[in-house]
Amino acid sequence: MSDNVVHLHKDTETPATNEGPTLAVVADTPPPPPAPVPLWVRSGRAVKTAVVHERTRTAARAVVRHHMYVLGGTRIVARRTWDGRTASRYERMLRAAEAAGNYEVAAEWEERGQRFRDARHRRRMDLLRSPVDAAKGALVGTGMGIGGLVGLGVVLAIANQDFADVITPLMAVIEFIRLLISIVTIVWGPLVTLGPLLALLGLWAVGRHQQAAPNWALPAKARNGEGEPITPSIVVKALRDLQVPALRNAIKEMGDSGAAMLGPIRIAGCGVEVDVTLPSGVSTIEVQNRRRKLAENLARHEHEVFITIPQAARTVRLWIADSGALDEPIGPSPLTTDETLRADYKTGRAPWGQDLRGDAAALSLYQRHLLITGLSNQGKTAALRALALWLVLDRMVEFRIADLKGAGDWAMFDGLATVLIQGPTDDHVIEATDMLEGGVREMERRLQAPPGTAFPPLILLVDEAQVAFMCPVVDGEKRPYGGSKATSRYFMAARKIHNQGRAVNVLLWQGTQDPTDQNLPKLVREGAHTRASLALGTESQARMALGDKAVDGGAAPNLLRPGLDKGTVVVASDGIPIPAGQASVTVRTHYIDTDTAAEIADRAKALRDGVTTLHVIERGEERDPLADIADVLGDTSRVLTVDVLKRLAALDEGAYGGWSFLDLKRVLEGTGAEPYKSDGRMVVGRDRVHRALAERDETDSASAAE
């Protein structure tokens, strides 16, 4: 078969005729071979490949690096020599002290510099007189030496009875000198050759030790600096490169290149800590706002550097973690390792985790309301539950728990808590509100007890409290369960407990997520004595969670890494040891899983005689406040509002026991039966109430007829 295949196709280049398009016969031929690549192109590609090859680049970096080691070592040795021979060191320290505003230290360095100059002047004057003194000493020494050698020769001549021995000691010395000259003559040549090489080797060693080469020429490990120990020079360089002009210029003007700004670098847990006194014109907020840049300059990740404000003025405290140390898990909770552990509400501290120094972080819960918040799925419930699991080991403590998520995270408290509400619906919010209002009534009962009465602790715990604040349901009296108004039932119950509950050991613990002014009102979050926050999204949320003072002092839960820093909380409380001058402390909490939590709960149940847990709060029958008011007024034409409240409480303690004048006024407002003054005292009129009740019944009947 022929290699050429004949194809028929329309000839598009032939003009059209009446006979239609012509058909052209075309034979396919093999394509022509590619043109050869010129030699100079191939050579250029080879050169380019050789230049960009990693081996070539590594070799080039090595050559530059070792040459720069020699040059850098020369510069370092020259500077050290200059500092040792002149007063420049004292001048640098003097300028650094003046730049830092420490004039007492500046005066001390000035005095030291003057003493150095006086001593140097005396040495120079002694050096001018030394040739004459040396000549005199040489003449005297030579004369005495020759005389001594001749005397020794005389003794030898007498002893040997040979007059020639008189000059024997002198000739021996001359022969020794000739031998030394011969040795020097032999060694001098190699010394002249090797001396410069040894000097270069010494300069290279100094430069290599100080890494005196461009960063791009250093080895990969030295270039990235990850895991490199923190030294004063590294800290000063990191501060200098923060792009704060006033700070950079002040460091340049300091004679010691900024070393005077630093306090001692102390080992602090899995990192180091150093105080930095900023020069005049540089504020602490400028350093705080550049945390990420500072961390990168220190060859660390942002979460491995913490900046706080100590008591000293114009000072920041840097805590710098060892590279990767914060990503390693901490040990188990003592609750899981010590089955004999017991809690003490008044004097004990809950083992919550470890601070950044690696020390145990223990929190006192005595008479402290608690609020913990954070983004979703960051370990909020586990952190809050760890505190409850410790405190429940004190058999005197009563828990009433409302879990408005209802995922079973608190199921192990069935048989421990006297109330356990679990669920996210509006009905569960209503039950949680009733639980809090019951706590208010218990608080008021305790407050009215005789002085000195001791009360067992009552912990009202609401997890996912934002669900309650955002609940849209209203009760029969048009009072909303959620919200933050004066008529909001959950909000007002929380406020009352915050105001007076601590004194009688009625405490409110709340856990919320993603705080806003709507789901965590200002008055509620500021009523907590212990405020803790996991990772948050913004600084404004951090201020809601911890307060302005803690955030201004360096607390930054918004800089924690969501998902990676699970269980890490920033705590502002007087119940946990906080370093002097700081407003908060960061704690890596122990994680206790659900199965282990159930085992701890079983140990707590063994300490108690048995607790019956209510899962639904009995709210009793629905009351008609207006009808009840008419009922308690009886036949009296008008009754003091104080007496009306007492009669209502006697009628139904559960419904009206916590009522105040405002509640009474709210029910009667708009009915035409509002309280009024009679003889200077507020009263309720019987006829007005009955008229309002009748009008309401007529309105209801008319509405039903329609």
Side-chain angles (χ1 to χ4, degrees):
M1 182 181 291
S2 174
D3 292 335
N4 294 334
V5 180
V6 178
H7 293 279
L8 299 180
H9 64 85
K10 293 181 180 180
D11 187 358
T12 56
E13 296 180 356
T14 304
T17 65
N18 294 333
E19 298 178 358
T22 32
L23 296 177
V25 180
V26 179
D28 286 346
T29 59
V37 179
L39 179 61
W40 64 271
V41 173
R42 294 199 302 270
S43 301
R45 291 176 179 173
V47 171
K48 181 180 178 181
T49 303
V51 169
V52 300
H53 196 277
E54 184 60 30
R55 293 181 181 177
T56 305
R57 298 169 65 183
T58 302
R61 280 198 297 264
V63 172
V64 174
R65 177 168 67 248
H66 291 292
H67 279 78
M68 294 305 298
Y69 281 165
V70 175
L71 295 178
T74 303
R75 177 179 54 82
I76 294 170
V77 171
R79 183 169 182 176
R80 290 175 180 175
T81 304
W82 178 259
D83 288 344
R85 302 292 296 177
T86 66
S88 60
R89 177 182 304 169
Y90 300 95
E91 293 293 336
R92 286 201 305 271
M93 300 302 292
L94 173 61
R95 289 195 298 271
E98 288 178 344
N102 198 338
Y103 296 105
E104 293 182 359
V105 175
E108 181 180 351
W109 281 110
E110 183 178 13
E111 182 181 353
R112 291 184 180 182
Q114 189 59 43
R115 289 201 299 266
F116 172 82
R117 293 186 185 93
D118 292 342
R120 183 181 60 185
H121 177 71
R122 288 194 299 270
R123 289 195 302 271
R124 289 176 177 175
M125 295 305 295
D126 293 341
L127 187 60
L128 292 176
R129 293 191 296 266
S130 61
V132 178
D133 295 339
K136 291 180 179 179
L139 290 174
V140 174
T142 302
M144 293 180 62
I146 293 175
L149 292 174
V150 172
L152 180 60
V154 171
V155 173
L156 288 175
I158 295 173
N160 296 331
Q161 296 181 357
D162 186 356
F163 181 77
D165 288 341
V166 172
I167 61 172
T168 298
L170 185 61
M171 294 304 295
V173 172
I174 294 173
E175 188 65 22
F176 178 72
I177 293 174
R178 188 182 66 80
L179 178 61
L180 290 178
I181 293 174
S182 301
I183 294 174
V184 170
T185 303
I186 296 172
V187 176
W188 181 253
L191 284 178
V192 171
T193 303
L194 296 176
L197 296 178
L198 293 176
L200 288 175
L201 182 60
L203 295 175
W204 175 86
V206 172
R208 180 177 179 274
H209 183 265
Q210 297 293 330
Q211 296 291 313
N215 189 62
W216 59 268
L218 294 174
K221 183 177 180 180
R223 280 201 306 275
N224 59 40
E226 188 170 348
E228 185 178 1
I230 299 299
T231 62
S233 60
I234 290 177
V235 176
V236 171
K237 186 176 182 299
L239 293 170
R240 185 195 66 195
D241 296 339
L242 276 183
Q243 298 179 352
V244 180
L247 180 58
R248 182 179 63 250
N249 295 336
I251 291 176
K252 288 181 179 180
E253 294 174 359
M254 293 180 182
D256 61 345
S257 301
M261 297 191 307
L262 306 184
I265 297 179
R266 305 176 295 272
I267 296 177
C270 57
V272 296
E273 186 178 74
V274 59
D275 287 350
V276 181
T277 302
L278 301 176
S280 178
V282 182
S283 66
T284 56
I285 192 66
E286 291 181 283
V287 178
Q288 284 184 296
N289 289 342
R290 291 169 171 81
R291 177 187 176 191
R292 175 176 295 180
K293 182 69 174 177
L294 179 61
E296 292 172 351
N297 292 346
L298 292 167
R300 296 293 190 272
H301 297 290
E302 183 178 10
H303 71 279
E304 294 176 330
V305 175
F306 287 81
I307 305 173
T308 55
I309 309 299
Q311 289 179 333
R314 215 170 67 239
T315 302
V316 293
R317 177 168 295 162
L318 307 180
W319 185 85
I320 307 162
D322 297 336
S323 184
L326 294 184
D327 296 327
E328 298 177 0
I330 63 174
S333 170
L335 292 173
T336 64
T337 58
D338 185 2
E339 295 185 359
T340 64
L341 185 65
R342 298 290 182 269
D344 190 312
Y345 164 74
K346 186 173 183 179
T347 61
R349 290 180 179 269
W352 208 11
Q354 293 180 1
D355 61 17
L356 296 180
R357 295 171 173 268
D359 300 330
L363 179 66
S364 173
L365 304 173
Y366 177 64
Q367 292 189 343
R368 290 178 176 88
H369 302 299
L370 185 145
L371 171 66
I372 180 170
T373 186
L375 297 177
S376 177
N377 195 31
Q378 297 305 309
K380 167 183 54 64
T381 297
L384 183 60
R385 188 176 64 189
L387 297 176
L389 286 171
W390 175 81
L391 189 56
V392 80
L393 293 175
D394 184 342
R395 62 190 306 271
M396 299 300 296
V397 179
E398 177 187 355
F399 273 91
R400 300 180 187 178
I401 299 175
D403 175 17
L404 298 181
K405 180 167 59 177
D409 293 330
W410 297 89
M412 70 287 302
F413 279 82
D414 192 356
L416 284 174
T418 54
V419 175
L420 181 58
I421 301 165
Q422 300 181 89
T425 67
D426 292 340
D427 289 337
H428 293 102
V429 172
I430 293 173
E431 293 177 354
T433 304
D434 289 339
M435 181 188 80
L436 252 64
E437 290 176 340
V440 172
R441 291 191 292 271
E442 174 64 16
M443 175 192 72
E444 292 173 343
R445 182 190 69 80
R446 294 183 179 190
L447 289 170
Q448 297 173 12
T453 305
F455 301 104
L458 171 60
I459 308 298
L460 303 167
L461 192 154
V462 181
D463 195 10
E464 306 295 343
Q466 76 279 354
V467 177
F469 285 112
M470 300 300 291
C471 180
V473 177
V474 296
D475 63 10
E477 301 174 15
K478 306 301 181 182
R479 297 178 61 193
Y481 285 92
S484 58
K485 297 180 180 179
T487 57
S488 301
R489 291 181 59 178
Y490 183 92
F491 171 77
M492 290 305 299
R495 287 293 299 139
K496 290 177 181 179
I497 295 172
H498 277 167
N499 288 338
Q500 296 177 307
R502 182 194 64 81
V504 289
N505 288 330
V506 177
L507 303 178
L508 176 59
W509 292 8
Q510 295 183 100
T512 69
Q513 64 175 259
D514 202 10
T516 65
D517 284 327
Q518 289 71 39
N519 64 24
L520 187 59
K522 184 175 187 294
L523 292 178
V524 171
R525 61 182 185 250
E526 291 186 351
H529 302 99
T530 295
R531 300 168 72 172
S533 176
L534 295 105
L536 289 173
T538 64
E539 181 179 326
S540 62
Q541 287 184 318
R543 292 183 181 275
M544 292 180 190
L546 299 177
D548 291 336
K549 180 180 179 182
V551 174
D552 291 339
N558 53 301
L559 296 182
L560 294 174
R561 302 167 298 167
L564 297 177
D565 290 325
K566 279 187 176 182
T568 299
V569 296
V570 182
V571 187
S573 172
D574 61 351
I576 192 169
I578 296 178
Q582 295 182 203
S584 63
V585 63
T586 302
V587 177
R588 303 170 67 196
T589 60
H590 296 294
Y591 175 69
I592 303 175
D593 59 48
T594 303
D595 294 338
T596 307
E599 296 175 2
I600 299 173
D602 291 338
R603 299 208 312 260
K605 292 174 184 177
L607 300 176
R608 301 168 187 253
D609 296 332
V611 176
T612 301
T613 300
L614 296 178
H615 295 276
V616 178
I617 297 177
E618 298 293 337
R619 291 189 289 273
E621 63 177 347
E622 293 292 334
R623 308 291 310 193
D624 184 347
L626 187 59
D628 288 342
I629 292 173
D631 186 27
V632 299
L633 290 176
D635 297 331
T636 308
S637 60
R638 56 180 179 270
V639 179
L640 295 174
T641 54
V642 176
D643 293 336
V644 173
L645 292 173
K646 290 181 180 178
R647 295 178 185 182
L648 286 172
L651 178 65
D652 191 333
E653 174 67 25
Y656 302 117
W659 268 35
S660 65
F661 174 75
L662 292 177
D663 298 306
L664 181 62
K665 181 181 178 182
R666 185 190 68 254
V667 172
L668 297 177
E669 190 172 10
T671 64
E674 294 86 350
Y676 62 94
K677 279 191 176 182
S678 176
D679 297 330
R681 304 185 69 182
M682 298 299 294
V683 298
V684 177
R686 179 197 61 189
D687 296 338
R688 297 185 181 186
V689 173
H690 282 283
R691 188 183 309 115
L693 191 59
E695 291 176 354
R696 189 191 67 176
D697 293 340
E698 292 176 1
T699 302
D700 292 343
S701 299
S703 300
E706 293 177 357

